[in-house]
Amino acid sequence: MITKYDVLVVGGGSAGVSAAVGAAQAGARVALIEEAGCLGGASTTRGVLTYCGIYTLQEEPRQAVRGVADNVISKLRALSAITPPQRHRGVFLIFDPEAVKLVLDKVCQDAGVEVLLHSCVTEAQRADGKISRVRCADHSGEHWLEADAFVDASGDCDLAAFSGASTRYGNGGAVNLGTLGTRFGGVAADADISAESVHAAIHAAKQDDPSNQLLTKDKSVIARLPISGDVVAYLASVDYDPRDAASLSKAEASGREQAWQYLKILRRLRGWQRAYLASTGPEFGTRESRHINSIGQLNWDDVLAGRRSPDTIALGAWGVEWHDRVTYESSFDAPPGDGAYEIPLSCLMSIDTPNLFAAGRTADGDRRAGASLRVMGTSFATGQAAGVAAAYYAQSKRVDVNQVRSCLREQGALIASSEI
């Protein structure tokens, strides 16, 4: 039996949920496929508990992403499960991941999205230059799902790669480093959780004990969660290939070993004496994998030059956050001007597969633009745009950018820098 949809979204993270909801609100029958047992992606299965890219980085931050993201944030606020904007190099919101699971379920239910959890795409077939159907595996076996349009929000660009669409790994040999999100419980309310103190403790420990040389990063965002009071950090890092199961498995093992070493060191700080490792990941946080090759790549030089996009459908507000795979050092270059740049629809559209759209970190940016586009706040925006575009393609087998822009505005999204 083959089930048919208007739009099929692969990946249930921030980008995938926004794509599915955006497409459903545009009138499409939508299925959302997610291999985990919950929605949220990095926010629930990878321990990345900070929404970056929702707000600009100025002294007085302005909200640059609304639409589906606004709905999610308002529901989290009703549960007291998200903080006001916080600042550490960038501006972000800290949230409780269990609340995110609940909220994303509700957002998809309200929109009429059919969610298929514990489902993994294993194959994709083409016909007449387009994706025609995908094979999914779950605990009852394998099934074929057909659709008129597809959104790849898988993070690793699995759908595009499996379908034979044009993709690439990283950018010119450069690939952003991955890090294992690490959550610590038992940290006292008055504990020293400053990034500066954490950095000093790790740096000193690496100087004093040769066994600590295996540790990678000594700097990280340190964030306290709004409900539990647990503390999350992004320290344990590994150079691995997320497309390769053996490479990823070694990375997961290394990351967990590092997490216990970091715990031992952090217990030396004031208020950390009773700290324990509440969770690692549970999946490694991949910052970059495959991208689609698109009709029109987003280039950071265009962002720096302040060039406007005639087909803008979303705003980016995060900086170029690059984590080096050799030195494990990170850098951060903020966007210029008013703090928000315009993202064109063309960088979400496959160059050779007209019914395939990308969202989140599968979108097409050069090395620096991709390092900004990838974060969850921006993924809400690119996801919603990709979903709306896919819905229109399913209806008419073409995409009219003016229709997409009009629909996004009706859904409450911000699509031009003049709107914030």
Side-chain angles (χ1 to χ4, degrees), residues 157-174:
C157 220
D158 289 345
L159 170 61
F162 294 171
S163 73
S166 179
T167 65
R168 68 182 186 283
Y169 180 57
N171 280 286

Side-chain angles (χ1 to χ4, degrees), residues 167-254:
T167 65
R168 68 182 186 283
Y169 180 57
N171 280 286
V175 185
N176 220 332
L177 178 74
T179 299
L180 183 66
T182 324
R183 180 173 171 177
F184 302 97
V187 182
D190 62 349
D192 184 357
I193 64 168
S194 70
E196 294 76 14
S197 294
V198 169
H199 166 63
I202 297 171
H203 181 73
K206 291 176 73 172
Q207 295 292 322
D208 297 341
D209 185 348
S211 67
N212 289 323
Q213 297 305 311
L214 295 176
L215 297 177
T216 47
K217 285 185 172 292
D218 56 17
K219 297 178 183 178
S220 168
V221 169
I222 310 295
R224 190 181 285 275
L225 304 191
I227 294 180
S228 65
D230 288 355
V231 174
V232 66
Y234 312 124
L235 289 162
S237 301
V238 181
D239 179 7
Y240 64 95
D241 185 341
R243 304 166 299 175
D244 184 299
S247 178
L248 181 54
S249 296
K250 289 180 181 179
E252 298 276 13
S254 174

